[in-house]
Amino acid sequence: MSTDIQSILNKLGINASNAAYSTGSNWGVELNANTLESFSPVDGKLIASAKVASAADYDAVVHKAQEAFTAWRTVPAPKRGEIVRQFGDALRENKDALGTLVSYEMGKSLQEGFGEVQEMIDICDFAVGLSRQLYGLTMHSERPSHRMYEQWHPLGIVGIISAFNFPVAVWSWNTALALVCGNVCIWKPSEKTPLTAIACQHIIAKVFKDNDIAEGVCNLVLGDREVGELMTNDGRIPLISATGSTRMGKAVGAAVGARLGKSLLELGGNNAIIISEHADLDMSLIGAVFGAVGTAGQRCTSTRRLIIHESVYDAFTAKLVKAYGQLRIGDPLDQNNHVGPLIDTDAVAAYLDSIAKCKEEGGNFVVEGGVLSGDAYISGCYVKPCIAEVQNDFKIVQHETFAPILYLIKYKTLDEAIALQNAVPQGLSSAIMTLNLREAEQFLSAKGSDCGIANVNIGTSGAEIGGAFGGEKETGGGRESGSDAWRAYMRRQTNTINYSNTLPLAQGIKFDL
Ligand code: UN1
């Protein structure tokens, strides 16, 4: 490998063996029994290891966070924004190193690794402006000489549980917003990508230290499901923001709901692009192929289904098959390659299992899948993106497989295409490729796509941070990132102030003493 990973690890403060938690500049020193080992899916090598936080470690972090909150909530929001501005600058300085580590630890292409860090920088810029725009409404009171308004206050500790596929960007969407809103954060990253999380923690901790802000505003806790369960059941954490599978989200939602906490869930997608008879097929090809094979099909926004009009079905399928024949699969750090590895061999097993199930149900593979072998694929995590002709109601098509498997479905009328697009349990992202205004507007209307994201002449993945990001149905209903998603990180308080000499009751009620 030409990239010098060791110097990148050194630059980002990652040792061969790392502590289980951090409250900022302080890293837990307790040597716990359990260790997380991070192997690169790129070449199968052990990159470094980290300890797993114990329940006691976790508790120490929560105490630190509670203490930090008492001070952080009193810092004026624009001043908190200034800290986030500096964090964005620190990310700019570290973009190459962090983007490369994302690519090496997670396996996405280097371009996408850099794109992920850019997404972090973008949300910082957004949050800086937001820090001066945490607006509440004012209302007219029904009583004379009374004033009513609402204001937004921070919640306290925001627990962030993130997934391996966007190991750093999703954390920063949550963190940048949570911080300007006056919250403190505890982050449990995926156990599959602890090192990129450690790198981020070093970067943000330095910003806090340089500004003489006490420990505990941004905290990291490494661990597996048990640590996640400590967080979801913990009444000291008013908001849990969790990204991952629908199965995981149902468990998180139930645990947080049982204690009447708030949860913000970003779960599975089963995203489709409708390729209309009025589509620009060349543009559609780029959207479809990037959507299906980008991040090796491991985005929650990845394109899983193409719903293609019968009149262009054969022509578009031929284009797809040709394009798949040109895909270069291999080391994601080599920018000549389009597709890197899956995250691990469990993901490879799930990919193979889905292909087998699809065949059992009658799927017809027009591009065959398979696992690649040989020296260039030594990790055993490289698979061939594949394409199958299916029916939308196949069980496997209803299920989200985190792998580059693309399903083709034929349609006759737009109503039918929209019904097919909506006929899955998930509701994250959707798109239509058409140059016909009536079709586009119907797709976006109340009788169109039922997803949180609906695009025209753009694929399903690659949303910008400025919009609210999230989806309906089994995607969990949460909205993160832009627009007014910040409200989820705050509590609303309605204030009524009486500046008269009497105390009139609302609704005209008489109560004289
Ligand atoms: C995810 O896959 O969890 O829209 C997030 C996109 C990216 C974010 C994906 N901006 O594809």
Side-chain angles (χ1 to χ4, degrees):
M1 159 155 340
S2 52
T3 312
D4 183 358
I5 294 294
Q6 192 52 53
S7 69
I8 285 169
L9 295 175
N10 294 345
K11 179 171 164 87
L12 294 171
I14 294 164
N15 303 318
S17 166
N18 299 277
Y21 68 92
S22 157
T23 55
S25 303
N26 277 340
W27 289 76
V29 286
E30 210 177 309
L31 291 184
N32 303 292
N34 296 332
T35 299
L36 286 177
E37 293 186 315
S38 180
F39 291 92
S40 170
V42 175
D43 54 16
K45 288 190 185 140
L46 176 66
I47 315 172
S49 68
K51 296 293 173 188
V52 172
S54 65
D57 293 338
Y58 167 75
D59 216 46
V61 170
V62 174
H63 278 123
K64 234 346 171 221
Q66 283 182 310
E67 207 178 288
F69 178 58
T70 58
W72 183 245
R73 67 183 168 187
T74 66
V75 175
K79 294 264 184 312
R80 298 192 296 246
E82 165 58 18
I83 302 296
V84 172
R85 190 190 65 73
Q86 292 179 32
F87 174 45
D89 280 351
L91 289 169
R92 284 179 172 90
E93 279 162 31
N94 286 283
K95 182 172 173 182
D96 279 5
L98 186 58
T100 307
L101 184 62
V102 166
S103 174
Y104 187 58
E105 188 180 37
M106 183 276 158
K108 65 176 65 178
S109 73
L110 192 58
Q111 275 299 311
E112 292 182 85
F114 292 149
E116 179 159 356
V117 182
Q118 186 58 47
E119 198 160 346
M120 304 172 81
I121 295 167
D122 294 344
I123 196 71
C124 287
D125 287 354
F126 179 90
V128 176
L130 178 66
S131 71
R132 293 179 185 268
Q133 298 172 79
L134 300 168
Y135 301 138
L137 298 172
T138 65
M139 307 87 189
H140 287 261
S141 169
E142 66 192 48
R143 289 167 282 185
S145 301
H146 280 57
R147 185 164 73 82
M148 274 176 86
Y149 73 107
E150 63 187 21
Q151 55 176 340
W152 294 84
H153 291 311
L155 291 170
I157 303 176
V158 173
I160 303 164
I161 299 176
S162 62
F164 76 85
N165 65 332
F166 272 80
V168 293
V170 172
W171 164 70
S172 69
W173 296 353
N174 282 283
T175 301
L177 260 55
L179 289 179
V180 297
C181 291
N183 300 294
V184 298
C185 302
I186 298 179
W187 178 22
K188 189 201 93 63
S190 165
E191 61 269 36
K192 296 178 183 180
T193 49
L195 305 180
T196 45
I198 291 170
C200 288
Q201 179 70 4
H202 280 302
I203 294 169
I204 204 161
K206 179 168 185 308
V207 174
F208 278 95
K209 187 155 192 248
D210 290 350
N211 285 277
D212 286 325
I213 294 167
E215 293 288 305
V217 179
C218 279
N219 306 280
L220 175 69
V221 180
L222 299 175
D224 44 26
R225 198 166 153 172
E226 279 161 40
V227 174
E229 283 170 2
L230 287 172
M231 289 170 73
T232 53
N233 290 310
D234 192 338
R236 295 171 295 181
I237 303 191
L239 172 66
I240 295 283
S241 174
T243 306
S245 66
T246 293
R247 200 169 53 124
M248 177 280 271
K250 283 182 177 167
V252 169
V256 178
R259 60 175 172 88
L260 298 183
K262 294 177 201 276
S263 51
L264 202 174
L265 301 174
E266 296 294 351
L267 312 175
N270 194 343
N271 318 298
I273 304 180
I274 297 173
I275 314 273
S276 136
E277 65 208 286
H278 304 295
D280 175 326
L281 293 189
D282 291 332
M283 249 167 63
S284 305
L285 187 68
I286 296 177
V289 178
F290 179 74
V293 311
T295 323
Q298 299 169 106
R299 292 192 186 205
C300 53
T301 52
S302 289
T303 305
R304 313 237 169 260
R305 299 175 294 144
L306 294 182
I307 302 170
I308 310 173
H309 191 265
E310 57 178 3
S311 68
V312 294
Y313 186 90
D314 290 342
F316 194 68
T317 303
K319 274 180 180 289
L320 275 173
V321 171
K322 187 163 169 231
Y324 269 54
Q326 290 163 356
L327 289 176
R328 285 185 297 272
I329 308 162
D331 181 350
L333 294 165
D334 176 346
Q335 300 214 47
N336 290 315
N337 290 325
H338 300 104
V339 186
L342 290 177
I343 184 69
D344 56 20
T345 48
D346 288 348
V348 174
Y351 157 88
L352 290 173
D353 185 54
S354 292
I355 291 176
K357 286 193 170 124
C358 185
K359 288 189 173 164
E360 270 166 39
E361 286 189 271
N364 173 41
F365 278 78
V366 294
V367 175
E368 288 287 346
V371 182
L372 293 159
S373 56
D375 281 354
Y377 308 116
I378 192 83
S379 67
C381 298
Y382 291 85
V383 301
K384 291 188 204 158
C386 57
I387 306 177
E389 299 182 298
V390 300
Q391 298 300 322
N392 196 61
D393 59 2
F394 284 5
K395 267 210 203 110
I396 196 63
V397 175
Q398 296 284 310
H399 171 85
E400 177 191 44
T401 304
F402 241 42
I405 306 173
L406 181 62
Y407 300 122
L408 307 187
I409 299 149
K410 204 183 275 186
Y411 81 89
K412 281 188 172 53
T413 66
L414 184 62
D415 285 345
E416 182 195 357
I418 291 172
L420 286 165
Q421 133 69 34
N422 291 344
V424 289
Q426 310 83 353
L428 178 55
S429 187
S430 60
I432 187 167
M433 295 291 181
T434 182
L435 302 177
N436 179 304
L437 181 75
R438 287 183 182 144
E439 283 196 333
E441 291 292 336
Q442 183 180 337
F443 178 72
L444 301 175
S445 76
K447 59 176 194 163
S449 165
D450 64 2
C451 290
I453 297 170
N455 296 330
V456 176
N457 294 329
I458 294 182
T460 58
S461 68
E464 301 177 17
I465 58 90
F469 181 90
E472 304 302 327
K473 302 193 292 187
E474 287 197 354
T475 304
R479 290 296 186 279
E480 285 177 353
S481 179
S483 184
D484 64 353
W486 61 270
R487 289 169 195 252
Y489 301 82
M490 302 199 88
R491 62 187 170 87
R492 183 196 312 243
Q493 189 176 68
T494 302
N495 306 117
T496 310
I497 300 161
N498 173 7
Y499 59 96
S500 74
N501 298 324
T502 57
L503 203 153
L505 299 178
Q507 295 86 45
I509 293 172
K510 296 271 173 273
F511 185 79
D512 294 325
L513 290 175

